[in-house]
């Protein structure tokens, strides 16, 4: 079993060889404009998956796939003579989905840009719902006349809330015993 580094090097070599010589080996005018995008070789160097794209319409892609499949043996023989390893890997040609994926990503990016523009347009005339700076600052922590913090110790009606070391009444409910 070969290591993954050797498999990567052989895959790169196969990619270079097939990309440079596919037109001279296939020799068919119906062969489309083929671009070899990637080659992956198994770690045991027995199988190589060759990913390719074809420029053109669906009929052109179909015809190119047929021609590559028909000339797979000739391409494998050429690769075997060039890389000179004990066993030449079998070649499997797989149409790469990169163009379709790229088109889908372009559509998603265009849609995101349109949404960003809509949000920016809506935000242009927007105003704050409350204060421009709603966060508490140190100067806000002023004490009122009786020494209680004005914001934290009184509720909306002005009654003292929380535990402030007040004497607990006999009832135990925090009412003043003197009252």
């Amino acid at each position: 079993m070969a290591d993954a580094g050797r498999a990567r090097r052989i895959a790169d070599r196969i990619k270079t060889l097939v990309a440079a010589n596919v037109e001279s080996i296939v020799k068919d005018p119906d062969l489309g404009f083929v671009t070899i995008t990637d080659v992956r070789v198994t770690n045991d160097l027995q199988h190589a998956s060759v990913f390719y794209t074809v420029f053109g319409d669906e009929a052109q892609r179909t015809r190119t796939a047929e021609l590559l499949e028909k000339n797979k043996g000739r391409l494998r023989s050429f690769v075997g003579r060039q890389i000179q390893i004990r066993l030449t890997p079998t070649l499997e040609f797989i149409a790469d989905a990169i163009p379709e994926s790229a088109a889908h990503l372009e559509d998603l990016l265009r849609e995101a840009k349109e949404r960003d523009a809509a949000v920016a347009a809506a935000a242009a005339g927007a105003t704050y719902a409350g204060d421009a700076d709603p966060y508490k600052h140190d100067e806000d922590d002023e004490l009122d006349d009786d020494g209680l913090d004005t914001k934290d110790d009184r509720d909306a009606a002005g009654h003292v809330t929380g535990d402030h070391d007040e004497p607990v009444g006999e009832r135990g409910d925090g009412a003043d015993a003197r009252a």
Side-chain angles (χ1 to χ4, degrees):
M1 181 148 259
D3 64 314
R6 183 170 184 220
R8 258 193 321 272
R9 287 190 306 271
I10 290 175
D12 288 341
R13 182 75 175 134
I14 291 172
K15 178 181 176 182
T16 304
L17 290 170
V18 172
N21 298 296
V22 69
E23 290 179 5
S24 64
I25 293 172
V26 175
K27 294 181 185 175
D28 193 315
D30 290 337
L31 183 69
F33 184 70
V34 178
T35 303
I36 305 300
T37 57
D38 194 18
V39 175
R40 295 185 187 146
V41 177
T42 58
N43 283 346
D44 62 358
L45 307 178
Q46 296 292 314
H47 183 73
S49 299
V50 181
F51 295 91
Y52 69 94
T53 60
V54 179
F55 183 73
D57 60 354
E58 190 61 37
Q60 187 71 39
R61 288 185 215 133
T62 305
R63 181 67 181 141
T64 299
E66 292 169 0
L67 288 171
L68 289 174
E69 191 64 31
K70 180 180 172 185
N71 291 290
K72 185 178 2 181
R74 294 177 67 201
L75 287 164
R76 182 179 180 211
S77 297
F78 175 77
V79 167
R81 285 190 307 269
Q82 298 298 317
I83 60 174
Q84 297 178 352
I85 58 176
R86 188 171 70 90
L87 295 172
T88 303
T90 59
L91 300 179
E92 177 186 11
F93 289 94
I94 302 170
D96 205 347
I98 288 177
E100 292 83 14
S101 298
H104 179 67
L105 287 176
E106 288 291 328
D107 291 342
L108 291 175
L109 289 173
R110 181 186 42 75
E111 183 180 334
K113 188 175 182 179
E114 290 171 358
R115 287 183 181 178
D116 286 348
V119 168
T127 59
Y128 291 106
D131 293 336
D133 186 14
Y135 299 104
K136 183 177 176 181
H137 297 285
D138 290 338
E139 61 268 5
D140 292 341
D141 292 336
E142 299 172 5
L143 299 177
D144 63 358
D145 298 346
D146 57 358
L148 298 175
D149 189 356
T150 57
K151 293 192 182 253
D152 296 327
D153 299 325
R154 297 195 182 268
D155 62 7
H159 298 92
V160 176
T161 60
D163 185 27
H164 299 287
D165 297 330
E166 297 176 2
V168 177
E170 296 175 11
R171 296 182 296 186
D173 59 359
D176 192 353
R178 294 173 283 178

